[in-house]
Amino acid sequence: MSEQQLREAFAAAQAMPEGPAQHLALDGAIRAADAAGEAKLAFEFRHESIEKFVFGGDDRRAFLAFSLSLAAYDRDPEIGGSHTEHSILWQFKWIVNALPEFPDVPLDRTYAVLDDMRARYLRGGHSLHAVHQARWQIALHTGDLDQAAASYHDMVTAKRDSLANCAVCVPSAQAWYLMTLDRHADAIEVAKPFADSWCRTQPERIRTNLMLAHLHTGGHRKAAELHRAAYRVMRTDRLHLPALGTHLTFLARSGNQARGLELLERHLPWLDGTPSPHDVLAFTAPAVLVLTRLADDGHGGSPVQGRTSPDGRRAVTTVDALRAELTALVEDLSARFDARNGTTFQSELARQRMTAPPLVDSLPLSVLDTAGRRTRNRIAQVQERIAAHTAAGDPAAAALARLDAAVLLRGHSDRETRFGAAEEAVLALERAGLAEPLFRARELLWQLYRDGGQGDQAVAVLDLLLDEPSLTTARRGQLLDESARLFWGADRAGRSLLAADQHLAAGDRLAELRSLTDAVASARHAVWAPAEQVLARADALAAEPPADADPAVWDSARGRMHLVVAWWYDSEDRDDEALARAELAEQCLDGVVRGEAAVFAGWRLLRRDRPVEAAQHARRGLDGADESDTRQLHAVIAVSLRAQGDPVAADALIAEHGLQPWELDDDNDDYDDEEDEDA
């Protein structure tokens, strides 16, 4: 393979969704570079893949890639770019923190890597802040609390620099350490200021730690809020499996073991795809606590979904049987860690996690129960219905009442209240098996996630909606149109094309034309192979309006399509075709479309030294143009007058309309695709 082919293969692997398939593809590209004798390229590929492996949950691949990258760098420090040394020192932190999570990796090896990291940091003149943090975390894992305390002190007193962990992850780790010492109030003090800060795994992890600290200190309402907010993000990412164990602990110790079972059943299959034994242990021990609480409540014989069998199916088992199975797994894993560490700390910790006593008899988790007084007043009658139906043993009616509450709260100023009410309605309707109301609840949740900037969560709900057999073709097209706005470039264009196909099948040719238009608009921001074919389809459709089409509406959609194509051609440097399309759009009966098209044509004619024609287009476009385009059209006329040698008339026009100097620059006519979507 040539260097170009190797780079294309690696780029294709990087563009894949995170997960095992991507990791295999990255490995393949690395091996191909090795086989081709491209040492520098192989180093580059390995180095850039380490983050994918770490945050994709495949630490063993990260270990190998880092080891080989480090060796190559030591042989030839010039093999990477100017920032290679800094990124290698940063990657040391990922590796040294992950090594203890595998009981087959000797502890001596972990400390050797830590010592190497320390030596390199010192040689580079860097602070040892990150080294001290890694050391106290390893010591805490082995149960050496004295060493953990000493290294923790070294960390908090060390200078922070560019190699220290981020400003959110450090207090998150501090909170966890303080909680192990039963210093929950101190944990809150350290972590609370960063509860809304962001990084790759935050704020969901710091909120999870704060959740448990607030439960211990009596901040029950805050704990429930943090649980809902953190779990919403974590539930779709396997990387958070150990933190999900903390949520199981919270639920079991707050009298919410039934809710804990729902989380346990949902995430239990993740155990089989998790390479880290420590992550499995961190999830499984709290899972046993949930099952123990259920058994204590008399539900030991109740059916539950078990682990995934080799054939991919999940057998139905009982609470008692699953508890026995997971207890054995916990005992085996903790014993393996203790054998490696030469202590009994992990076994003792696991027993504590499996037998922790309740902190609260019954903590309300519903957003309906924890919302403010004004919200509760708004939904008081619905809450009474929910309580009455629940007491009467009618979960279906209670679930329908929760949907009513979610609809009432969909415009609430607090997004957590909006989200929480809709999520609870969906969950209750799923349990009750009410298909049609469940679909309506998911539609509401989709809209809330979409409008609230929760892209990944929105797409996950959308996929469930699109899989609904009863969904009409027309509605499927509408949903695909709506979802396209969450994407960019080729992905967006592809969704718009799928929407167009659905509109075609539903016989809605106007919606089809608009979706095709959006697909072409999206192609402006990406290399999208079907673009020309889609344009030809749009042109053919625009030329033959259906008999029942409103002539004015159809003409506006067709004019908008021509304008979008003009911008696409402009981005492709197809200037003559772009101008021709703009002139077609100027024939539209819709004054707003004509105005936009005249702005486009006017500036481009000025660039071609054709000021007289530019002014003609601009003057024609003034009839019906919106306020923004009207200003631009006057600017085109003013610039045209100057170009024609009439600065007095130009200055008079500028003064009349209060035009600013920047408005007389032809770089200001940026096009906004959102206008297409709203047209």
Side-chain angles (χ1 to χ4, degrees):
M1 296 176 69
S2 67
E3 179 179 346
Q4 181 63 29
Q5 290 172 318
L6 290 168
R7 290 193 178 279
E8 288 175 356
F10 186 68
Q14 285 184 306
M16 293 174 64
E18 288 187 356
Q22 183 194 49
H23 300 164
L24 284 172
L26 291 170
D27 267 348
I30 292 168
R31 288 195 301 271
D34 282 334
E38 295 280 357
K40 188 170 184 177
L41 208 56
F43 171 82
E44 178 186 328
F45 290 176
R46 280 195 178 89
H47 188 65
E48 293 184 14
S49 296
I50 291 169
E51 183 173 0
K52 296 285 188 183
F53 295 151
V54 168
F55 290 103
D58 198 341
D59 290 321
R60 289 194 183 276
R61 273 197 171 90
F63 296 160
L64 178 60
F66 180 76
S67 176
L68 294 174
S69 293
L70 185 63
Y73 175 76
D74 285 342
R75 289 193 300 270
D76 178 12
E78 303 299 321
I79 198 169
S82 58
H83 300 291
T84 299
E85 180 183 5
H86 188 276
S87 61
I88 284 178
L89 294 179
W90 186 274
Q91 290 170 351
F92 254 105
K93 299 185 299 183
W94 296 336
I95 301 305
V96 80
N97 285 323
L99 284 170
E101 297 185 357
F102 295 83
D104 58 327
V105 176
L107 204 56
D108 289 348
R109 180 182 174 191
T110 297
Y111 279 118
V113 174
L114 181 61
D115 289 342
D116 188 17
M117 173 181 171
R118 180 180 185 276
R120 292 173 188 266
Y121 275 47
L122 287 174
R123 283 202 302 271
H126 304 291
S127 169
L128 295 182
H129 188 284
V131 177
H132 295 317
Q133 180 173 350
R135 193 174 296 279
W136 73 251
Q137 289 175 322
I138 296 169
L140 187 62
H141 169 79
T142 63
D144 188 348
L145 300 185
D146 290 338
Q147 179 62 60
S151 296
Y152 178 85
H153 176 268
D154 290 341
M155 183 199 75
V156 297
T157 56
K159 177 185 175 182
R160 289 183 56 86
D161 64 2
S162 62
L163 286 173
N165 286 316
C166 87
V168 198
C169 291
V170 170
S172 181
Q174 287 180 263
W176 185 255
Y177 172 72
L178 293 168
M179 288 162 59
T180 63
L181 304 179
D182 290 329
R183 294 169 55 186
H184 302 287
D186 291 338
I188 293 171
E189 183 179 355
V190 166
K192 188 177 179 180
F194 305 94
D196 295 320
S197 301
W198 179 90
C199 88
R200 174 65 175 77
T201 59
Q202 300 289 0
E204 53 269 26
R205 289 192 173 180
I206 199 167
R207 287 175 174 175
T208 296
N209 292 341
L210 281 168
M211 167 194 73
L212 209 53
H214 279 292
L215 183 66
H216 276 273
T217 56
H220 297 158
R221 176 178 169 181
K222 186 63 178 178
E225 292 174 357
L226 290 166
H227 162 67
R228 289 194 301 266
Y231 179 67
R232 178 180 299 117
V233 179
M234 290 179 164
R235 64 189 177 187
T236 59
D237 192 342
R238 288 173 179 262
L239 184 66
H240 293 305
L241 184 67
L244 290 174
T246 306
H247 283 269
L248 290 178
T249 297
F250 166 78
L251 293 169
R253 302 193 71 180
S254 64
N256 287 287
Q257 47 268 23
R259 173 65 175 146
L261 179 60
E262 293 168 4
L263 268 66
L264 170 57
E265 287 186 307
R266 176 174 184 169
H267 300 291
L268 192 60
W270 288 8
L271 296 184
D272 299 309
T274 301
S276 166
H278 181 268
D279 287 357
V280 172
L281 179 60
F283 177 85
T284 309
V288 171
L289 178 61
V290 168
L291 296 168
T292 299
R293 290 282 178 273
L294 289 167
D296 291 344
D297 291 342
H299 301 296
S302 297
V304 296
Q305 292 190 68
R307 296 184 66 178
T308 306
S309 61
D311 63 2
R313 298 180 181 179
R314 296 185 67 183
V316 175
T317 182
T318 66
V319 167
D320 283 340
L322 183 59
R323 179 175 61 156
E325 178 184 353
L326 296 184
T327 298
L329 177 59
V330 170
E331 291 174 346
D332 175 66
L333 286 173
S334 56
R336 289 170 57 195
F337 278 112
D338 285 341
R340 191 272 309 272
N341 298 339
T343 69
T344 60
F345 182 74
Q346 286 296 323
S347 294
E348 293 168 0
L349 183 61
R351 280 193 292 273
Q352 292 173 14
R353 289 175 173 172
M354 291 189 291
T355 60
L359 293 170
V360 183
D361 290 336
S362 180
L363 172 63
L365 292 182
S366 171
V367 68
L368 307 184
D369 297 319
T370 60
R373 179 172 54 82
R374 291 178 60 187
T375 298
R376 288 200 298 272
N377 291 340
R378 189 187 310 176
I379 59 171
Q381 292 182 347
V382 179
Q383 281 190 281
E384 290 174 4
R385 286 165 46 205
I386 294 171
H389 292 314
T390 302
D394 191 348
L400 290 171
R402 286 193 179 277
L403 177 55
D404 291 341
V407 171
L408 285 171
L409 295 174
R410 63 184 171 184
H412 197 281
S413 59
D414 176 46
R415 75 172 196 166
E416 295 302 329
T417 299
R418 298 194 302 270
F419 292 169
E423 289 167 351
E424 290 172 16
V426 167
L427 189 60
L429 291 163
E430 282 177 343
R431 290 194 208 114
L434 301 176
E436 192 278 332
L438 174 59
F439 183 83
R440 286 191 282 121
R442 283 175 173 161
E443 278 193 308
L444 174 61
L445 190 56
W446 146 250
Q447 293 162 6
L448 292 173
Y449 281 161
R450 180 197 66 198
D451 297 341
Q454 304 296 300
D456 291 342
Q457 288 82 4
V459 171
V461 176
L462 176 69
D463 289 341
L464 294 174
L465 292 173
L466 294 175
D467 287 341
E468 172 56 47
S470 65
L471 184 64
T472 66
T473 302
R475 182 59 180 141
R476 181 172 280 107
Q478 291 171 1
L479 287 170
L480 285 166
D481 276 328
E482 293 171 11
S483 71
R485 301 183 189 186
L486 297 176
F487 296 87
W488 192 252
D491 289 336
R492 176 167 171 167
R495 283 189 171 254
S496 295
L497 181 56
L498 289 174
D501 293 339
Q502 294 297 311
H503 295 314
L504 172 62
D508 189 341
R509 306 309 299 274
L510 179 62
E512 180 189 357
L513 178 58
R514 287 172 170 165
S515 295
L516 293 172
T517 298
D518 192 59
V520 175
S522 303
R524 179 182 171 220
H525 303 287
V527 177
W528 190 51
E532 292 286 0
Q533 292 178 326
V534 171
L535 174 56
R537 175 177 163 183
D539 276 335
L541 176 58
E544 297 185 8
D548 60 348
D550 182 316
V553 174
W554 187 269
D555 180 73
S556 179
R558 178 171 52 203
R560 178 69 61 184
M561 185 268 293
H562 287 312
L563 183 56
V564 162
V565 177
W567 277 101
W568 178 48
Y569 282 156
D570 185 69
S571 70
E572 298 278 310
D573 294 325
R574 296 160 65 173
D575 298 338
D576 291 339
E577 293 168 281
L579 189 56
R581 285 286 182 165
E583 290 173 348
L584 287 175
E586 286 180 283
Q587 299 173 20
C588 182
L589 299 176
D590 186 329
V592 173
V593 175
R594 287 201 313 272
E596 290 182 40
V599 168
F600 181 97
W603 286 118
R604 277 145 192 82
L605 287 166
L606 285 173
R607 293 173 192 171
R608 295 184 175 197
D609 260 347
R610 293 159 64 180
V612 174
E613 294 174 71
Q616 291 172 346
H617 281 264
R619 290 190 177 98
R620 289 197 300 265
L622 285 169
D623 182 18
D626 65 19
E627 182 179 356
S628 174
D629 288 328
T630 296
R631 292 186 66 83
Q632 288 209 56
L633 291 169
H634 284 305
V636 169
I637 296 170
V639 173
S640 176
L641 289 170
R642 283 180 175 174
Q644 295 177 67
D646 193 351
V648 174
D651 291 343
L653 188 64
I654 291 169
E656 178 184 355
H657 297 285
L659 299 177
Q660 300 300 312
W662 62 266
E663 293 180 283
L664 305 176
D665 182 350
D666 68 356
D667 286 335
N668 76 78
D669 64 331
D670 289 336
Y671 179 69
D672 186 356
D673 289 343
E674 293 296 324
E675 295 177 3
D676 289 333
E677 299 162 1
D678 298 335

